[in-house]
């Protein structure tokens, strides 16, 4: 490879789509992250709202070889409903326009979630990859990183030279995977030719079974990593996102290798191992009544262990509204004490707290602006403990070092419960959301977070794994998949259909790239 600075396009589009949530519009993307042109490079090298992958890719490329970033467009929204078709098409057109204006390129990096749907398309991620490939031609190497909750399509794997998925959940390796993608891109620019295999299983696990500290998914990823080497460059076992409800749902095994590597046999071997372990992807939740009773006992008896609860049915990190009241009201009615609860998203309630002022008391009406199927109105006497502008810097887990903004907030005292209320949706995956309101997580007897799993990396200094409970609450992200009205999943599929079958001999496998 020459010493000429390599011109690498950098772009990103992030959305995890929940088919049961309201559509994600342009405002949702503008509110979280929408950065174009040279500002991407400026933000990539400092704390920002950019996806962690962007900074990781820049750092690795800076160390690897002389290069010239060609920043295109990076945007993303909090997990929500399908992206509005018009905005997706406008964003894709802008990416294409900027790519065509960029001139000759030596490579392309795409930072992508991979679990996006659009209001008129099941595979906008694949459309993005294909459009970029058409712009740059077949000879320009392309790599992409995706979340391990991506739903992988043939078009996605077929359009890039390597598809690299996260290997940690909670996600704390985004920068590492982007660095790995950068190393692969350098390798492809140096002449290595790519061959990829994709196998998809009729297995759609609930998200709470896709943790990677231990359990079936951790074992599957570890097994796959033992196969890397001898021409196999990267293995991604992608758990998928059930709530997207698409025909491409299902655990996917992607093997990225060099030309001549038997990637298909490796992919089938890993898929067979995962399928044999499928019963382990069924997990029992803690009944709400049991969780409330435990919280009441813990509040009365400080010799008992403190616990942290996941309000599993209402995870904003999976498209939940962050505004269901089922668990909060149950704790309040039971007079639970020593409870921290957050983050509840209700802009109207924050406004009411602002009117009352810090130290003021008022009748707090949760969901005053309107009820939904799961978000019911709940009223309680409250005292305003703290008001903030909602701006902070994450300090642990997936938010560590990231600039965060949840809009104007308040902390309310409802009897023995302290509730953090925000104006913008964000899963409570970092203790900073409580701490910025003067609330001591370490002193709490019960902490309730609207988060599915990422809170584990943020709160692990307070709670050991055995003190984490996933509570069976209703909502758009309920791990009890039978409660949701799926329309597009490939059926039969496990665990919804216990009779779902798969065998290595009859498996469909897709091979892309050089033989």
């Amino acid at each position: 490879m020459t010493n000429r600075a390599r011109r690498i396009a950098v772009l990103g589009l992030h959305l995890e789509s929940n088919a049961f949530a309201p559509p994600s519009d342009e405002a949702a993307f503008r509110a979280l992250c929408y950065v174009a042109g040279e500002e991407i490079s400026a933000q990539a090298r400092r704390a920002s709202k950019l996806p962690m992958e962007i900074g990781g890719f820049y750092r690795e490329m800076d160390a690897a070889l002389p290069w010239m970033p060609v920043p295109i467009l990076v945007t993303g929204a909090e997990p929500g409903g399908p992206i509005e078709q018009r905005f997706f098409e406008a964003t894709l057109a802008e990416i294409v326009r900027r790519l065509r204006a960029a001139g000759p390129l030596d490579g392309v990096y795409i930072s992508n979630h991979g679990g996006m749907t659009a209001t008129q398309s099941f595979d906008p991620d694949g459309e993005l990859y294909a459009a970029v490939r058409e712009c740059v031609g077949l000879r320009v190497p392309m790599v992409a990183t995706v979340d391990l909750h991506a739903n992988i399509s043939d078009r996605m794997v077929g359009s890039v030279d390597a598809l690299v998925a996260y290997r940690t959940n909670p996600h704390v390796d985004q920068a590492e995977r982007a660095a790995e993608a950068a190393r692969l891109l350098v390798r492809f620019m140096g002449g290595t030719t790519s061959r990829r295999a994709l196998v998809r299983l009729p297995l759609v696990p609930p998200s709470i079974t896709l943790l990677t500290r231990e359990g079936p998914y951790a074992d599957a990823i570890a097994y796959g990593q033992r196969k890397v080497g001898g021409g196999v460059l990267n293995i991604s076992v992608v758990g998928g996102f059930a709530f997207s409800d698409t025909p491409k749902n299902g655990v996917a095994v992607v093997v990225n290798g060099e030309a001549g590597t038997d990637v298909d046999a490796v992919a089938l071997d890993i898929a067979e191992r995962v399928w044999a372990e499928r019963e382990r992807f069924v997990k029992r939740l803690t009944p709400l009544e049991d969780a409330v009773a435990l919280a009441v006992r813990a509040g009365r008896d400080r010799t008992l262990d403190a616990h942290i609860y996941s309000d599993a049915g209402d995870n904003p990190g999976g498209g939940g509204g962050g505004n269901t009241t089922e668990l909060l009201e149950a704790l309040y009615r039971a007079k639970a004490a020593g409870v921290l609860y957050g983050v509840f998203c209700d802009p109207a309630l924050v406004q009411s707290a602002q009117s009352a002022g810090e130290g003021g008391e008022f009748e707090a009406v949760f969901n005053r602006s309107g009820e939904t199927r799961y978000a019911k109105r709940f009223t309680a006497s409250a005292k305003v403990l703290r008001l903030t502008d909602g701006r902070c810097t994450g300090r642990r887990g997936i938010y560590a070092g990231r600039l965060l903004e949840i809009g104007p907030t308040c902390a309310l005292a409802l009897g023995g419960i302290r509730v953090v209320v925000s104006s913008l949706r964000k899963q409570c995956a970092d203790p900073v959301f409580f701490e910025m309101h003067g609330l001591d997580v370490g002193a709490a007897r019960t902490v309730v977070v609207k988060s599915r799993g990422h809170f584990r990396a943020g709160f692990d200094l307070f709670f050991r794994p055995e003190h984490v409970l996933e509570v069976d609450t209703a909502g758009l992200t309920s791990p009890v998949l039978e409660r949701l009205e799926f329309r597009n999943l490939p059926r039969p599929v496990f665990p919804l259909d216990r009779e779902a079958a798969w065998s290595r001999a009859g498996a469909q496998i897709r091979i892309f790239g050089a033989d």
Side-chain angles (χ1 to χ4, degrees), residues 41 111 113 150 153 179 189 205 229 385 420 439 498 503 509 513:
S41 293
S111 172
H113 182 281
S153 69
M189 289 191 297
L385 301 176
V420 174
L439 301 173
R498 305 292 296 191
S503 69
I509 183 167

Side-chain angles (χ1 to χ4, degrees), residues 441-462:
V441 175
R445 306 300 297 137
T446 303
V447 176
V448 182
V449 291
K450 284 189 176 291
S451 175
R452 182 268 316 155
H454 291 318
F455 70 92
R456 291 171 179 262
F459 289 83
D460 59 351
L461 76 167
F462 300 107

Side-chain angles (χ1 to χ4, degrees), residues 17-39:
S17 292
N18 185 316
F20 309 101
S24 299
D25 60 10
E26 179 174 355
F29 287 82
R30 297 278 183 180
L32 182 66
C33 175
Y34 192 99
V35 186
E38 291 301 325
E39 182 60 21

Side-chain angles (χ1 to χ4, degrees), residues 270-309:
I270 297 168
E272 188 172 42
R273 171 69 173 261
V274 174
W275 183 249
E277 298 279 292
R278 64 190 179 278
E279 289 288 347
R280 295 178 65 198
F281 288 93
V282 178
K283 186 173 181 179
R284 181 179 179 273
L285 300 170
T286 299
L288 184 142
E289 296 78 9
D290 293 353
V292 171
L294 178 60
V296 170
R297 292 197 301 272
R300 293 172 178 169
D301 185 355
R302 297 194 66 85
T303 66
L304 298 176
D305 290 327
H307 286 77
I308 187 168
Y309 296 173

Side-chain angles (χ1 to χ4, degrees), residues 331-383:
L331 290 166
Y332 180 77
R333 301 297 181 203
K335 295 182 171 55
V339 178
L340 298 185
Y341 187 104
V343 174
F344 194 98
C345 182
D346 192 333
L349 182 54
V350 173
Q351 290 177 359
S352 296
Q354 289 173 330
S355 297
E358 289 190 357
E361 298 183 2
F362 72 111
E363 197 75 356
V365 182
F366 293 78
N367 296 320
R368 179 195 297 273
S369 297
E371 294 185 321
T372 67
R373 177 180 178 184
Y374 299 114
K376 302 302 182 183
R377 189 167 296 180
F378 162 57
T379 303
S381 297
K383 180 178 180 178

Side-chain angles (χ1 to χ4, degrees), residues 148-149 169 203-211 216-217 239-243 249-251 278-285 312 315 452-453 470 477-484 486 489 493-496 498:
L148 57 75
H149 293 109
N169 185 24
L203 171 62
V204 178
S207 294
I208 61 170
T209 68
L210 296 177
L211 297 170
Y217 193 42
F241 188 61
F243 305 116
N249 271 99
V251 170
R278 64 190 179 278
E279 289 288 347
R280 295 178 65 198
F281 288 93
V282 178
K283 186 173 181 179
R284 181 179 179 273
L285 300 170
N315 169 30
R452 182 268 316 155
E470 285 122 347
T477 62
S478 171
V480 185
L481 301 183
E482 292 81 1
R483 294 176 182 164
L484 299 172
F486 291 101
L489 290 182
V493 64
F494 189 89
L496 284 170
R498 305 292 296 191

Side-chain angles (χ1 to χ4, degrees), residues 394-416:
R395 71 180 191 88
R396 293 185 56 78
I398 63 169
Y399 294 147
R402 296 192 66 184
L403 300 181
L404 304 172
E405 186 170 353
I406 56 175
T409 72
C410 63
L412 304 177
L414 276 63

